[in-house]
Amino acid sequence: DADVTQTPRNRITKTGKRIMLECSQTKGHDRMYWYRQDPGLGLRLIYYSFDVKDINKGEISDGYSVSRQAQAKFSLSLESAIPNQTALYFCATSDFGFTGELFFGEGSRLTVL
Amino acid sequence: SQQGEEDPQALSIQEGENATMNCSYKTSINNLQWYRQNSGRGLVHLILIRSNEREKHSGRLRVTLDTSKKSSSLLITASRAADTASYFCATDAFGGGSEKLVFGKGTKLTVNP
C-alpha cells in the first residue's frame, strides 16, 4: 500500500457542488500539506498542518477549507466548486525535523464543469 | 514571493546523453531540493542540497548549488527513456521550515530511445 493515499483519484463535478478530497498517510508524520498543480504554474500551497490542532493557510487558500481529523488524515474541501478550481491536487507529508523532504500522494484530478 | 525557476522549460535528448537543468531562486535559502514527476503522478524526492554544500551526488544525479548566484543545476548522466519526466526544484525560506517549500514550474525532460 502507498504511504500517502488520496481519494478520489479522479472526480468530475458541477459548479456549485461541495467536494471533499481525502488524504491518509501511514508514515507517522506530523506535517501534512495540500498543493494544487496547474499546467505551467508548478505547485502552489493551499493549506498545511503541523499537527492535529494546527492549521495554516498557504498562498491560495481562498475557496478551500481543510480538516485534520487525526495525525494520519487531512481533508481538503471545496465548499462551492467553480471551474477555475479544475486542477490536480496533491497531498504531501513530511517528518518533523529539517530534512525537508516531502512525500506525495498520487494526486486527485478534479474537473469542475 | 521567492520561487525557484527552472530552465529550460523543456528539453529533449537521446538516450545515453546527459541532461542538465537549471534552477534560479530569489532569496536566501536553507536548502534546495529536486523532485521528479512522471506524467500525472505524484512528485518523488530526488536529492536535497544544503546551503553550505556545493555539490552532491546520488547515482546518476549530480546537483550543484551556487548561493552567490542563487542558482542550482541538476545533471542526469547517461540518460534513459525511463528518465522522461518533469523535474522541479523547491526552495525554503531562510529561517523558515520545510513546510513552506516553494516549487518552480518545472523542466519537462524527454529522453528518446
Side-chain angles (χ1 to χ4, degrees):
Chain A
D1 290 338
D3 293 325
V4 183
T5 303
Q6 292 183 231
T7 57
R9 292 294 311 281
N10 290 282
R11 182 72 182 269
I12 300 173
T13 191
K14 295 182 179 180
T15 297
K17 294 292 186 181
R18 183 178 187 273
I19 295 297
M20 179 180 286
L21 305 179
E22 298 185 332
C23 177
S24 63
Q25 53 117 344
T26 58
K27 297 195 72 67
H29 292 165
D30 287 322
R31 300 181 179 189
M32 298 187 73
Y33 315 82
W34 277 103
Y35 281 90
R36 167 179 171 160
Q37 185 177 35
D38 297 274
L41 293 180
L43 276 78
R44 293 180 291 168
L45 183 63
I46 307 172
Y47 271 95
Y48 62 101
S49 170
F50 291 176
D51 61 37
V52 175
K53 298 181 180 179
D54 181 84
I55 303 289
N56 304 281
K57 292 183 177 181
E59 60 179 310
I60 55 163
S61 59
D62 287 349
Y64 301 95
S65 63
V66 291
S67 173
R68 185 79 183 267
Q69 301 95 327
Q71 186 205 36
K73 296 184 182 296
F74 192 35
S75 300
L76 176 71
S77 293
L78 289 69
E79 296 302 325
S80 180
I82 56 177
N84 76 1
Q85 290 178 314
T86 293
L88 186 55
Y89 291 86
F90 287 104
C91 175
T93 73
S94 69
D95 199 357
F96 182 79
F98 207 68
T99 62
E101 178 179 354
L102 297 187
F103 296 84
F104 283 84
E106 286 296 293
S108 295
R109 185 171 296 280
L110 177 65
T111 303
V112 183
L113 302 175
Chain B
S1 63
Q2 78 167 47
Q3 182 179 29
E5 292 286 345
E6 292 88 347
D7 171 62
Q9 291 186 336
L11 179 62
S12 182
I13 61 174
Q14 296 299 122
E15 211 166 21
E17 294 180 341
N18 296 341
T20 300
M21 290 158 269
N22 303 297
C23 170
S24 59
Y25 56 92
K26 297 177 182 176
T27 62
S28 297
I29 60 171
N30 290 314
N31 61 55
L32 183 145
Q33 302 178 50
W34 285 92
Y35 286 80
R36 183 188 74 222
Q37 183 184 31
N38 289 69
S39 181
R41 305 292 297 276
L43 280 73
V44 175
H45 181 264
L46 294 177
I47 198 164
L48 178 152
I49 186 165
R50 302 193 186 282
S51 60
N52 61 353
E53 297 176 310
R54 292 295 168 259
E55 187 171 313
K56 203 162 184 180
H57 296 256
S58 177
R60 293 183 296 112
L61 305 181
R62 172 179 171 252
V63 169
T64 62
L65 179 63
D66 187 334
T67 53
S68 67
K69 295 181 179 178
K70 293 186 171 58
S71 67
S72 173
S73 67
L74 170 67
L75 168 68
I76 303 174
T77 60
S79 63
R80 306 166 182 169
D83 294 327
T84 294
S86 292
Y87 292 82
F88 296 86
C89 68
T91 55
D92 67 351
F94 184 82
S98 60
E99 68 273 7
K100 293 186 180 179
L101 278 177
V102 179
F103 288 81
K105 298 177 182 179
T107 292
K108 186 172 183 179
L109 173 66
T110 302
V111 181
N112 302 297

